[in-house]
Every structure is written in C-alpha cells, then in structure tokens.
Amino acid sequence: MKVNSSIYNHLGSNTVPKKRTTTHKSSELKAIYTKMAQYNKSSPLYMLNLSDNKQDQIINIKESALSLRYSIQSFGNPDDDMYSKKVFSSSDNSVVSGSLKKPGAANIPESLDIEIETLATQQVNMSKFVKSADFSLVPKEHRFTLETLNTSAHFGITVDKGDANIDIQSKIVNYVNNRNIGINASLIKEGANSAVMFTSAETGKPATDDGLLFSFTPDGAGQNLVNVFELNNVKSKPTNSSFSINGNKHISSSNHISINQAIELDFHKVSNGPVKVGLAADSAQAIEQLEGFAAAYNGLMDLSDNSVSQIGTRSLSTDISGILSKYKADMDSIGMVTGEDGRLSIDKELVKKSLGSGEFTEFFSNSETIATDIENATNRLVLDPIAYVNKTIVSYPNASNKLNNTYTQSLYSGLMYNNYA
C-alpha cells in the first residue's frame, strides 16, 4: 500500500502527537514488524488522493484504535488501583457522612450499621426582648464576666448618653465576637423589639453542676447589664449525641467521632433506621477510565460516519460496532450503555453499583474475552487504517513471488515506530 510521503509533512505540521507513557520491548517491536511484513506481502499498490481531511482521518483512526486498546488493558488487572483503592461509603450521606483518616490502616471495619437517636447540641441563650428605642440602662460602664469551660472573659460596656437598647445590644455582640472565646453573639430583631442570642461553638453536656457551657456574671453592685437584659436566659441546654454502632449504644459530646483512629464520621440528623457505612471501591477512577474508553470508541464511530465505502474498502462502522456487540447486555448492566446510535455512554450510578456488588470486577477479570477481542479488532485498524479511506487499487502483488519489502510497500508503516505506537 504505497503512500505518498506528504502524509509525514501533514503529520508534523498539523497534528499534535499524543503523549504516552507506553514503552515497548524489543520483542514487541519485532512482533509489530513481523505483522507488517506478513500483511504487506499481500497488500495491493494503492493510489491515494491525500487531502488534508483524508490524512487527518488516517491518523485519527489509528490514534483512536490505540486509545481504545490502551484504555481496556488496566480493567483486566485485579491489582489495579481501580479495584484495590478504597474510599469511605455511606448508604445515606444526609444522615452520616465521613472520610478515611488512614486509608491503608488494617483496623478499618468493612461495614458498620449506625443509628442516630439524638444529635449533640449547643447551648443557646436568648436575652429578653426589649424595646429597641428605649433606654433601659443609665449612662456609665457596665461590667460583667462571661464564664466558659476554658476561660473567664471580662467585659466593660460603656453606655453613653443617648444610647438606646439596640445600641447597647450591638456593643455586646461586637465585644463578645471580637474576643473569640467560642461563643457567637448575634442581634435578633422582631419589629420594634430586639434581643441578643448567644450560641456556644462546642456541643455536648459538660460535667458541671448546672450542665451549661457558659454563663454571665455581673461585676459590681447596682443596676447591671446582665440582669436588665437577662443574658442568662437559657433557651436550650447542650446535649450529647446518642447513637448505636452494630446495636451497641454510645454517647458522645460531639457529632463528629473517630473509629479506630481510621474513620472519621459526622452525624447530621436523626436516622429512621440503620445507615450502613464502611469501605467501597473508588468508583471515580473506574468512571474516569470508562469515560476514556467510551471517548475512544465513540471517536472511531464518529470517524466511520465520515468514511465513504466503495469496492475494496472495509466498513469502519461494521468493524467497530462488531467489537462490543456480543457484550452489550453485560456492559449495559455495569454502566457501559450502548445507545440507539451505537455510541457508548457511562451511567455513573450503575458503575458504582456494579463495583459494590463485584459484577464490574467479574466482567473484566476474564482477560481472555473482551480485552482479547478488542486487541484483535484494533490490530487491523492500527496496522492499516488506510483500508478505511477511499483509494484506487493500481495493481496486486505477484502471488508467486511475495517479497518481504515492508517499508517500500508501506511508507505509513513508519508511524508504527514513532510516538504514536
């Protein structure tokens, strides 16, 4: 299949070579050479009209075929990260979410059933609602102490002449928030009235006499800010979370727990039943590789749409669609769905489900089926993509004297040994 050398000029000037990490042993290169030699013994002499479009098609057929072959190879390897890498899994992330703290730890449980009875809550104080525009405090400095489990913070709020209740409340909010002591203050407005809400950053019932995480104490005698605004009015006391793991009851001061220092769990709401958490295959990597496979396959199908069949020219569409036709039912079930137009699409939820059930691994574990079929089918595309473009046959070789003139018969064969191979 004699080809004009202009294809190399087109390749060098208009096509960006794909970067590959694939390497070849000398035995593999020898096998490629042998295949070319055998193929070219019976190859006719062609005359091609090498337009830019046709040269692009020749190169893209081979490139897509190589991509299809490479993308399937890792699926048959049971030691590939796609099968061995594990990620955290929850049957209901709205109830229990989490992550792996030590993905390789040996004491990570495979599966746990968790039920959430109550969540750990914060302490919330809501001061008395007062008329925002009224003047409840006399002008002077009003001092108080905010006691938490870890610190005692002293405050002095200066009430100036003309400071209305909402002005004083705003000062309280700013002073408390600026101290960063684990108590968040916010101003609450309801019509003409206003109040201050205090919320603890921590959750869980502490081992204190009053069961509170913070409280206010006025400093000094006489009229004081704490009592006037009723800052110690507790709206809700802090509580612990109550949950069970595989039927065993547990209590925690937090909604974030660690199991065996390997799994981190976060509780979000009370459950209606057991939530199953544990390890699952990393579907993200499988989906990424499947999408690469589908892109290569669909790329060949797209190229087949642009090819015009004639006598002596193989049908790219027929050859490509025949690769996966006998696996359609199994492929559909693991998330590699064939559409009515013959193109592949990836159903991510089916991929995740089939990985979890083992169906995905089982389908690809037999490397002598789909992987072998794809390699056999793509060999022809890689070896002679020119078979799929229009050309004129000039002459056939002498059947009684088939010379092994690999490179004189096929200038295109050189592409087998550049970075496209």
Side-chain angles (χ1 to χ4, degrees):
M1 44 186 178
K2 183 78 170 179
V3 182
N4 190 289
S5 61
S6 63
I7 193 170
Y8 293 108
N9 297 328
H10 181 77
L11 176 64
S13 61
N14 296 323
T15 306
V16 179
K18 299 294 178 68
K19 301 296 182 182
R20 299 192 188 280
T21 57
T22 307
T23 58
H24 296 282
K25 298 177 182 178
S26 58
S27 58
E28 292 174 328
L29 295 175
K30 183 178 180 180
I32 294 174
Y33 176 89
T34 301
K35 289 179 182 178
M36 289 190 300
Q38 293 174 345
Y39 183 76
N40 282 316
K41 286 180 181 180
S42 303
S43 177
L45 182 64
Y46 295 125
M47 184 171 64
L48 289 173
N49 177 20
L50 285 174
S51 63
D52 286 349
N53 181 63
K54 187 167 293 185
Q55 293 179 72
D56 283 337
Q57 187 178 0
I58 292 170
I59 294 168
N60 288 332
I61 288 173
K62 178 176 181 292
E63 180 60 37
S64 296
L66 284 170
S67 296
L68 188 66
R69 179 194 296 174
Y70 294 144
S71 64
I72 200 65
Q73 290 175 348
S74 59
F75 289 109
N77 181 8
D79 297 324
D80 191 84
D81 284 347
M82 179 172 53
Y83 301 120
S84 60
K85 186 178 179 181
K86 301 294 183 180
V87 295
F88 175 83
S89 173
S90 171
S91 62
D92 191 344
N93 280 298
S94 67
V95 176
V96 182
S97 62
S99 62
L100 298 184
K101 188 175 182 180
K102 297 179 181 179
N107 56 349
I108 296 178
E110 283 293 329
S111 180
L112 298 171
D113 287 330
I114 298 181
E115 291 190 72
I116 312 298
E117 297 175 4
T118 61
L119 292 176
T121 61
Q122 303 160 302
Q123 178 182 337
V124 179
N125 281 19
M126 179 69 79
S127 74
K128 180 178 68 173
F129 275 93
V130 295
K131 293 291 184 181
S132 300
D134 282 1
F135 302 90
S136 298
L137 291 178
V138 298
K140 71 171 188 176
E141 184 182 47
H142 295 260
R143 305 184 65 83
F144 65 89
T145 300
L146 176 51
E147 300 275 358
T148 70
L149 296 181
N150 302 314
T151 187
S152 295
H154 302 282
F155 295 88
I157 305 294
T158 300
V159 177
D160 297 317
K161 186 177 181 179
D163 279 349
N165 288 334
I166 195 167
D167 300 318
I168 301 169
Q169 291 168 331
S170 296
K171 288 183 181 182
I172 296 172
V173 169
N174 292 332
Y175 278 37
V176 171
N177 288 339
N178 288 339
R179 293 292 289 271
N180 294 317
I181 55 175
I183 305 297
N184 179 66
S186 56
L187 185 63
I188 308 298
K189 299 178 183 179
E190 289 187 359
N193 301 321
S194 56
V196 180
M197 184 171 69
F198 303 92
T199 306
S200 65
E202 294 185 25
T203 59
K205 184 178 180 179
T208 57
D209 293 338
D210 57 9
L212 298 178
L213 294 169
F214 65 88
S215 62
F216 295 88
T217 303
D219 293 345
Q223 187 182 33
N224 61 79
L225 179 150
V226 172
N227 293 334
V228 169
F229 289 122
E230 297 183 11
L231 301 187
N232 278 321
N233 181 28
V234 179
K235 183 178 181 181
S236 59
K237 287 188 174 184
T239 60
N240 293 325
S241 63
S242 175
F243 57 97
S244 63
I245 300 178
N246 291 341
N248 299 315
K249 300 286 186 178
H250 298 274
I251 292 176
S252 173
S253 62
S254 173
N255 294 315
H256 177 86
I257 67 170
S258 175
I259 299 179
N260 296 338
Q261 299 298 312
I263 290 182
E264 304 283 340
L265 297 179
D266 290 295
F267 303 150
H268 303 292
K269 65 181 181 181
V270 174
S271 62
N272 294 323
V275 176
K276 189 173 291 295
V277 303
L279 302 181
D282 185 4
S283 62
Q285 185 170 348
I287 290 171
E288 181 180 357
Q289 293 183 210
L290 285 175
E291 287 177 339
F293 179 89
Y297 182 86
N298 292 338
L300 284 170
M301 294 298 291
D302 292 340
L303 288 169
S304 72
D305 290 342
N306 298 325
S307 63
V308 181
S309 298
Q310 66 176 37
I311 297 175
T313 301
R314 294 177 62 88
S315 170
L316 180 59
S317 176
T318 301
D319 285 2
I320 296 307
S321 61
I323 297 177
L324 304 180
S325 59
K326 68 178 180 180
Y327 302 106
K328 184 181 184 305
D330 290 334
M331 290 177 63
D332 285 349
S333 67
I334 66 170
M336 300 175 68
V337 182
T338 304
E340 294 182 0
D341 61 353
R343 267 69 173 175
L344 281 179
S345 62
I346 305 304
D347 186 321
K348 295 181 181 180
E349 292 304 316
L350 278 178
V351 174
K352 294 177 184 178
K353 182 179 178 181
S354 63
L355 274 168
S357 66
E359 185 181 0
F360 186 96
T361 309
E362 182 180 355
F363 174 70
F364 285 109
S365 62
N366 189 350
S367 59
E368 295 183 356
T369 55
I370 183 171
T372 300
D373 286 352
I374 288 176
E375 177 152 357
N376 292 336
T378 55
N379 275 343
R380 174 60 184 268
L381 278 67
V382 172
L383 191 63
D384 187 15
I386 297 176
Y388 301 95
V389 298
N390 292 336
K391 53 194 173 296
T392 302
I393 298 176
V394 177
S395 66
Y396 286 95
N398 186 345
S400 63
N401 185 22
K402 294 182 180 180
L403 298 178
N404 188 4
N405 297 323
T406 306
Y407 289 105
T408 58
Q409 289 295 320
S410 177
L411 291 177
Y412 172 78
S413 300
L415 289 174
M416 290 293 180
Y417 290 98
N418 68 7
N419 58 359
Y420 271 78

